[in-house]
Amino acid sequence: MSAVAQTRREVLIDFYRSCSMLFVFYHHTANVFPDSVDLFTKFNPFAELFIVISGFMVGYVYLHKEQHGELVVRGLKVLAAYFVISVPVAIGMAVLGKKREPVGEAIFDVLTFQSEPTAITILKFYGLMFLLLPLILPLFKRHRGLMLALSAAIFVLCTWFANTRDPALENPAAILLLFSLQAQLFLMLGTWLGDLHRRNRLIGPRFYAIMLALFVFGLVLDGCLGFPSNGEKYPYRFDKLVNLLWTLPLLLALLWALFAATRQWAAVALVLNVGQNSLIAFLGSEVVRQSVKLALLLGGVHPQVYGQTMMGLFDVVLVTAVLWLYRAHGLQRHPVLHPLGGR
C-alpha cells in the first residue's frame, strides 16, 4: 500500500489490531496439539486489545452517524463467515472425530450455537454485537456515563456468576452469552476512547498517567495475589481481570515502541494488511489451524514446544502472505510496499 493511502487511516490503530490478531492466530495454532504447553498464561491480553480497538473504531467512525445500517450488514457478514468455516469443520468432526454424531445434528448444533467446533468464537460475539449496536449507540451518545456504568455493572455481575462455576457453563450457548455480556465492557470502553479521540480529548499527559497508574496498581495487586491467572478467558474470572489491569497498558506501550522503531520499514505494510482485512484474516487463520489438526489426526504427531511454536509461526506467516497477495492481486492493486508516512 502507498504512503498516501495509509495516511487516510489511523495507522497505529491498524498496527495494534494486526499485531493482536497475529498473536491470536499463533496462540490458537500452537495450542492445537495434544498436551500442548501454553507459554503465555500470564501475559495474553491480545484478544481483549483487539476488542477494545474494534470498539475504538466504532466510537471514532460510527458513533456520530445518523444511520447504522452498515453495522447490521457487517454483523450479518461476520455471522455468515463464522458459519462458512464452522459448519464444514463440524461435519468433519462428526465423521472423523472421537465423538461421532449424526451430521444433521452437528450442523444444527453449530447454527444454534450449541457447539464450538472452531477457535473463532469471537466472531459470534462480533456478529451479535454489530447487530445490537444500532440500538446501543444512540443511547450511548446521549448517556455516556450511564451506559459505561451499566456496562461495568453487567461485567461485574457476570464475572461474579462465572466465579461460582455454575454447571450450566458447560453449555457452549451459555458460555457464549456470558462471555458476550463480559466482553461488551471492552467494546464499550473502546467506543468511549474512540469518541474522545475524535474530539481530540484522549491523548495527553492525563492519559499516560492513567495508563501508568493502572499498570502499577494491577501489577502490585496481581503480585500480592500470587499471579493466579492461568490464561483462561471464556468466561472471565476476576483473576483474569486483575491480570489485564497491568498487561493491557504494558502491551500498548510495547507495541507503540515497536511501531515507532519500525514504521519506516516497507514490510510493516504487510502486517497492516492483517488488521485492515480482519474478517478474511480470521477465516484464513482457522483454515490453517484446521489443516494442522487434520494432519495431526492423520499422522498422530505430538511435537514438543519447538514444534508447536513453528506451526504457530507458520500460521502467522502464511496468513500474512496470503492477505498481501489478496490485496495486491485480488483487489487489483499493485504489489508495491512503501515506507509509511503521516501519523
Side-chain angles (χ1 to χ4, degrees), residues 8-27:
R8 297 172 187 161
R9 300 176 62 103
E10 290 288 343
V11 184
L12 178 59
I13 297 301
D14 282 331
F15 187 76
Y16 279 139
R17 192 208 316 256
S18 300
C19 290
S20 298
M21 292 180 66
L22 289 173
F23 181 87
V24 170
F25 300 163
Y26 161 81
H27 190 252

Side-chain angles (χ1 to χ4, degrees), residues 70-150:
E70 186 178 346
L71 291 173
V72 175
V73 173
R74 179 68 174 175
L76 293 175
K77 286 182 178 179
V78 170
L79 289 177
Y82 172 78
F83 291 135
V84 164
I85 293 295
S86 299
V87 169
V89 172
I91 294 174
M93 293 174 63
V95 175
L96 300 174
K98 295 180 179 179
K99 181 183 177 182
R100 303 298 175 88
E101 60 180 335
V103 171
E105 181 180 342
I107 296 174
F108 178 79
D109 287 346
V110 171
L111 296 178
T112 57
F113 300 146
Q114 295 297 315
S115 70
E116 180 48 79
T118 72
I120 50 177
T121 305
I122 197 147
L123 292 187
K124 292 187 287 187
F125 163 73
Y126 274 120
L128 295 174
M129 284 303 300
F130 275 114
L131 293 178
L132 293 174
L133 280 176
L135 302 176
I136 297 173
L137 292 183
L139 294 174
F140 186 89
K141 188 192 296 189
R142 295 180 177 86
H143 309 286
R144 288 176 176 81
L146 178 61
M147 291 297 291
L148 286 171
L150 180 61

Side-chain angles (χ1 to χ4, degrees), residues 235-247:
Y236 286 96
R237 305 298 197 267
F238 282 116
D239 56 355
K240 180 59 182 176
L241 175 62
V242 173
N243 176 266
L244 289 173
L245 289 177
W246 67 270
T247 56

Side-chain angles (χ1 to χ4, degrees), residues 202-215:
L202 177 61
I203 303 302
R206 183 173 64 174
F207 176 78
Y208 300 131
I210 291 174
M211 289 294 101
L212 180 60
L214 281 176
F215 168 76

Side-chain angles (χ1 to χ4, degrees), residues 283-304:
L283 301 185
S285 74
E286 190 60 19
V287 169
V288 176
R289 179 178 177 273
Q290 293 298 335
S291 299
V292 172
K293 286 182 65 175
L294 180 60
L296 167 66
L297 177 65
L298 297 177
V301 181
H302 294 258
Q304 300 298 318

